[in-house]
């Protein structure tokens, strides 16, 4: 059992840790973890004795940032070090420095990584327990919903820092942008890009001081995490405004010329122009996809034609059922079609041309 974790390293990013980190490192050493990589992310002088003690431990390697650079950057520093110094390693297990992850659960995550060495292993908590801090419960629910909508991934615990990461994936993650908390979310989304499966193991739920030490800010960090998703919403809203404006214009022009068919004609003219605007926005601004434009254009307009038919048919039926008010009806019908359009664009139109990481890769 002494060499059970020979090819597994434990990575712990630390910012101003206390002696709890020394306890964790000692317990992991007793559990036969011989490679513990600790990153001092620009901690203050008060934490210097902690890192000095860790540096004297044979099982620990202490890396240092001159200034605080964020958890994502600390993880990348550790991944790069691991890749250089452990070329035959199986992978790493990341854990927090504040004691939220018990050595037993770190061990459990490592065991799962050994069993499934090609998957990202998440040590997930039970958020149904009554003592979960509201801040953490809200953040997890919000991120779960957006990850499900944006990438079609069902994750139990999106915020967990306890993860088993295959060695090859640590190298791929060096190309993923993000240097602070958002990097952990992008790590999950990167599984979509690099076609890597995710497995989960249940771990104890531990919060220190009601999780006040957490650096996760639901609103600010969600904006960083879902930058591409927000760009898509902006593109869709702009195209929606263009479409409704053109529909109002064309319906006014055509109403006197073709009283029975002006809705369909106005829908067609408005949708052709607004869809071209939307395609260019999605291709060049949202997904930034420059490969195989003919293929994406064909797929996009196939979707646009189907959506146009659904819009025209829906508005036509409701107009003659309810009588008048074609513009409000148009807004209602197209609001429902928007959700379906996003799902199809994500899973079909731009599936092969875009990354789900969240932003372009960095030069790190």
């Amino acid at each position: 059992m002494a060499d059970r974790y020979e090819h597994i390293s434990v990575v712990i990013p630390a910012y101003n840790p206390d002696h709890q980190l020394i306890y964790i490192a000692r317990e992991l050493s007793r559990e036969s973890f011989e490679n513990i990589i600790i990153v001092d992310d620009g901690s203050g002088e008060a934490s210097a004795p902690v890192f000095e003690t860790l540096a004297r431990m044979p099982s620990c390697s202490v890396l240092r940032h001159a200034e605080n650079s964020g958890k994502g950057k600390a993880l990348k520093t550790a991944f790069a070090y691991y890749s250089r110094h452990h070329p035959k390693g199986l992978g790493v297990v990341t854990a927090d420095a504040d004691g939220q992850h018990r050595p037993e659960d770190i061990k459990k995550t490592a065991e799962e990584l050994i069993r499934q060495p090609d998957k990202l292993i998440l040590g997930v908590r039970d958020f149904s327990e009554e003592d979960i801090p509201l801040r953490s419960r809200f953040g997890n629910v919000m991120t779960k919903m957006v990850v499900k909508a944006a990438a079609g991934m069902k994750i139990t615990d999106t915020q967990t820092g306890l993860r088993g990461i295959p060695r090859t994936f640590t190298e791929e993650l060096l190309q993923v942008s993000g240097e602070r908390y958002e990097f952990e979310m992008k790590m999950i989304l990167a599984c979509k890009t690099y076609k890597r499966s995710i497995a989960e193991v249940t771990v104890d739920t531990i919060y220190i001081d009601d999780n006040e030490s957490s650096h996760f800010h639901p609103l600010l960090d969600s904006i960083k995490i879902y930058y591409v998703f927000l760009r898509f919403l902006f593109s869709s809203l702009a195209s929606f405004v263009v479409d409704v404006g053109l529909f109002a214009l064309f319906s006014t022009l055509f109403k006197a010329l073709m009283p029975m068919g002006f809705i369909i004609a106005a829908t067609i003219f408005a949708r052709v122009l607004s869809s071209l605007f939307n395609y260019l926005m999605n291709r060049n601004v949202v997904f930034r996809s420059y490969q195989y434009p003919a293929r994406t254009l064909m797929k996009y307009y196939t979707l646009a034609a189907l959506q146009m038919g659904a819009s025209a048919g829906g508005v036509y039926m409701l107009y003659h059922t309810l009588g008048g008010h074609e513009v409000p009806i148009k807004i209602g019908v197209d609001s429902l079609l928007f959700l379906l359009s996003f799902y199809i664009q994500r899973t079909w139109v731009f599936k092969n041309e875009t990354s789900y990481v969240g932003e372009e890769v960095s030069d790190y």
Side-chain angles (χ1 to χ4, degrees):
M1 188 66 169
D3 61 350
R4 176 65 170 167
Y5 306 115
E6 178 183 1
H7 299 299
I8 298 288
S9 293
V10 177
V11 169
I12 305 178
Y15 178 60
N16 292 331
D18 56 24
H19 283 76
Q20 179 70 27
L21 180 55
I22 297 176
Y23 166 78
I24 295 172
R26 286 175 175 167
E27 288 299 307
L28 290 174
S29 297
R30 293 191 182 100
E31 293 288 350
S32 300
F33 286 98
E34 300 177 354
N35 299 304
I36 304 172
I37 304 171
I38 298 171
V39 182
D40 173 7
D41 188 27
S43 301
E45 289 297 323
S47 297
V50 174
F51 291 110
E52 290 171 2
T53 300
L54 292 168
R56 290 193 295 267
M57 295 175 60
S59 61
C60 292
S61 299
V62 178
L63 312 179
R64 289 183 171 86
H65 288 170
E67 58 184 21
N68 179 247
S69 301
K71 188 175 184 179
K73 185 65 177 290
L75 289 172
K76 289 180 181 179
T77 294
F79 294 166
Y81 177 89
Y82 175 74
S83 180
R84 289 194 304 269
H85 292 83
H86 301 280
K88 296 182 179 180
L90 181 66
V92 306
V93 174
T94 63
D96 291 344
D98 58 5
Q100 289 197 40
H101 302 137
R102 299 188 311 144
E104 294 87 344
D105 288 327
I106 294 173
K107 181 179 176 181
K108 182 189 295 187
T109 304
E111 293 284 354
E112 193 64 28
L113 180 60
I114 292 171
R115 282 192 290 269
Q116 303 190 73
D118 295 323
K119 294 183 179 181
L120 173 66
I121 311 299
L122 300 180
V124 301
R125 298 159 292 181
D126 184 0
F127 281 87
S128 65
E129 296 179 2
E130 295 182 358
D131 58 346
I132 300 295
L134 179 61
R135 179 188 187 191
S136 296
R137 192 189 303 273
F138 169 73
N140 189 64
V141 169
M142 183 174 64
T143 53
K144 280 172 59 176
M145 292 175 60
V146 178
V147 168
K148 177 65 175 177
M153 303 169 71
K154 187 176 181 180
I155 305 297
T156 301
D157 185 354
T158 58
Q159 300 175 47
T160 178
L162 181 56
R163 305 177 179 197
I165 308 173
R167 184 186 61 79
T168 54
F169 196 30
T170 64
E171 296 173 353
E172 293 167 341
L173 288 172
L174 294 176
Q175 305 304 317
V176 175
S177 65
E179 296 188 349
R180 297 191 178 275
Y181 180 89
E182 74 274 11
F183 176 74
E184 289 188 307
M185 180 60 66
K186 291 182 179 182
M187 182 190 300
I188 293 176
L189 298 178
C191 290
K192 196 80 172 181
T193 301
Y194 295 108
K195 304 185 187 309
R196 192 172 295 275
S197 299
I198 297 176
E200 298 182 345
V201 294
T202 303
V203 300
D204 284 349
T205 305
I206 300 174
Y207 286 105
I208 310 299
D209 297 328
D210 202 32
N211 207 29
E212 289 299 323
S213 63
S214 173
H215 299 288
F216 174 71
H217 303 282
L219 181 59
L220 179 61
D221 287 313
S222 293
I223 291 175
K224 296 177 183 178
I225 292 167
Y226 309 126
Y227 189 38
V228 168
F229 183 72
L230 292 174
R231 288 203 303 253
F232 179 86
L233 290 178
F234 174 78
S235 170
S236 299
L237 179 60
S239 303
F240 176 76
V241 171
V242 170
D243 187 56
V244 172
L246 290 173
F247 176 80
L249 174 63
F250 288 132
S251 63
T252 300
L253 295 176
F254 295 150
K255 199 168 190 177
L257 299 176
M258 46 183 73
M260 296 300 296
F262 76 93
I263 290 178
I264 294 177
T267 298
I268 292 174
F269 276 88
R271 185 53 51 85
V272 167
L273 295 177
S274 65
S275 64
L276 178 60
F277 172 81
N278 183 249
Y279 170 78
L280 293 174
M281 285 283 291
N282 287 350
R283 177 175 179 266
N284 298 324
V285 178
V286 179
F287 299 105
R288 295 177 182 175
S289 171
Y290 298 100
Q291 298 180 354
Y292 309 113
R295 182 187 302 174
T296 56
L297 187 64
M298 180 180 65
K299 289 181 178 181
Y300 181 88
Y301 272 102
T302 299
L303 171 63
L306 294 174
Q307 191 172 350
M308 179 176 62
S311 177
V315 174
Y316 183 84
M317 290 175 59
L318 290 175
Y319 174 80
H320 289 287
T321 299
L322 302 177
H325 310 294
E326 64 274 6
V327 173
I329 290 174
K330 166 77 171 176
I331 294 175
V333 169
D334 282 0
S335 295
L336 295 177
L337 289 174
F338 162 78
L339 298 176
L340 181 61
S341 175
F342 169 71
Y343 175 79
I344 295 174
Q345 287 194 51
R346 174 180 63 80
T347 58
W348 184 55
V349 177
F350 294 103
K351 179 180 179 180
N352 295 323
E353 282 70 43
T354 184
S355 165
Y356 289 92
V357 170
E359 290 184 38
E360 300 69 29
V361 297
S362 68
D363 296 327
Y364 178 81

